[in-house]
Structure formats: C-alpha cells, structure tokens
Amino acid sequence: MKTPSIRGGTHQTEIWRAAGLSGPADLEVTMFRKNSTPLSLAAISILVLPQVALAECRPVAGTIDATVVGGEPVNVLGNVSGDLAGSTRAVLTGQSEDDDGKINLTLAHDFVTHGRSSLKTSDAAVWTPIPGQNGVFHMATNYTIEGGTGTFAGATGSLKNDGVADANTGLVTLRYYGEICRD
C-alpha cells in the first residue's frame, strides 16, 4: 500500500492545489507573504506538513529461479522476474537443523535490477522437508531490507518468499512478495 509523502505524486499535487499552491517551492513564499491568510496557513499545516515524516511504500512481487553454486560461504545465484527483475545473489551466513529435519538458515541477499539499482537484505529462512521427496524442501524466507542504491537508495521494508529448494539438484524456485519503502 502506498503511503503519501511530500516528494510528489498525484495525491500531493491535489494537496498543493487545495492549499492554493503549485508545489513545495510555493510553501516558503506563502508562509512569509504579507497577505497570507490564516486559512491558507492552516490548510498547509493540516494537509501537507503531517505527511513529511511518512514513508512512501510500494508493493513488489515476482519469482526467482536460482542455483546453488557453492563456495565458502555458500552462494546462490538467480534470475529475478517481476518488480525486481534482474539478478540476485544470496550468501549463506548461518545454518542449523532441528530434530524434525527442518533447516534454519540466515542469509544476505543482493538484488540488482535491469536498471542497475541494487537492494540489500538480511534474511531468515526455514526449509521444511517434503514427505516422500528426499532432499526436497518447502522454503519460506523473511527478508529485511537494509538499503540499496539508485532507485532503492535508503530503502526499508520487507519481503517474503514461498517456494521449493531441491538439495539434490541445487535448484531453488520461489515466489517473492512484499513492500519496499523510502522515507
């Protein structure tokens, strides 16, 4: 869900017009103009200023097809489709196994879009064995967005995924979804 911010967009344009302004540059001029009315200043403070601190968020979704390529630490490289179309690299930073066969992973991801923006995450994943399919796991991951470059400079938010990891072939196929925010 998109939350308004002062940076721009249709909702912000409507707010500026309602306050009798053409944009942020008019705010300073209007606030100090001798003929400013209390009504125009009240409109500015009620409609515009409370939004300055809110983040602008947008939903993202798509798929990832990846391959475990090994290394130390273990690396996974993949193709990304959807809103983050490009490529990704996951680095395994920790691993433990539960008595029931579930594997708990900590990871760090770098996503690079076709537009050359990047997104960095830290993640916690659980691989749950699929009964009757030795070495095949249902995978669920929670990604915490820690920033990025280009379009994603200063990004926050979170992603989740749901998919299948085949430890026999090293193939990982998943669907991701979530929200990327910028303050």
Side-chain angles (χ1 to χ4, degrees), residues 41-93:
L41 292 177
I44 292 167
S45 64
I46 290 170
L47 297 174
V48 178
L49 296 180
Q51 296 183 37
V52 172
L54 297 177
E56 182 177 326
C57 299
R58 69 179 177 108
V60 294
T63 63
I64 299 174
D65 294 308
T67 303
V68 178
V69 294
E72 186 56 44
V74 173
N75 282 261
V76 181
L77 302 177
N79 293 313
V80 181
S81 70
D83 296 311
L84 301 177
S87 60
T88 188
R89 179 184 113 178
V91 177
L92 180 65
T93 59

Side-chain angles (χ1 to χ4, degrees), residues 6-179:
I6 199 167
R7 276 190 287 287
T10 305
H11 183 72
Q12 289 75 34
T13 302
E14 292 168 8
I15 291 171
W16 291 119
R17 285 186 189 141
L21 305 172
S22 63
D26 284 347
L27 178 61
E28 185 176 319
V29 172
T30 300
M31 290 178 76
F32 296 103
R33 193 181 295 156
K34 286 184 183 179
N35 62 356
S36 292
T37 65
L39 181 57
S40 66
L41 292 177
I44 292 167
S45 64
I46 290 170
L47 297 174
V48 178
L49 296 180
Q51 296 183 37
V52 172
L54 297 177
E56 182 177 326
C57 299
R58 69 179 177 108
V60 294
T63 63
I64 299 174
D65 294 308
T67 303
V68 178
V69 294
E72 186 56 44
V74 173
N75 282 261
V76 181
L77 302 177
N79 293 313
V80 181
S81 70
D83 296 311
L84 301 177
S87 60
T88 188
R89 179 184 113 178
V91 177
L92 180 65
T93 59
Q95 178 177 337
S96 66
E97 188 171 344
D98 294 343
D99 292 338
D100 61 1
K102 287 182 183 174
I103 300 173
N104 302 293
L105 305 172
T106 55
L107 305 138
H109 272 83
D110 290 297
F111 292 86
V112 179
T113 66
H114 291 309
R116 310 246 182 200
S117 293
S118 68
L119 191 65
K120 181 176 270 317
T121 68
S122 63
D123 322 313
V126 177
W127 286 17
T128 304
I130 296 176
Q133 297 186 29
N134 189 32
V136 180
F137 299 85
H138 170 261
M139 177 178 57
T141 306
N142 291 311
Y143 303 76
T144 301
I145 298 170
E146 297 183 331
T149 64
T151 305
F152 302 119
T156 61
S158 63
L159 305 172
K160 293 184 181 229
N161 80 30
D162 184 52
V164 175
D166 187 333
N168 303 308
T169 63
L171 299 178
V172 178
T173 305
L174 60 94
R175 180 179 80 89
Y176 70 87
Y177 55 95
E179 189 172 69

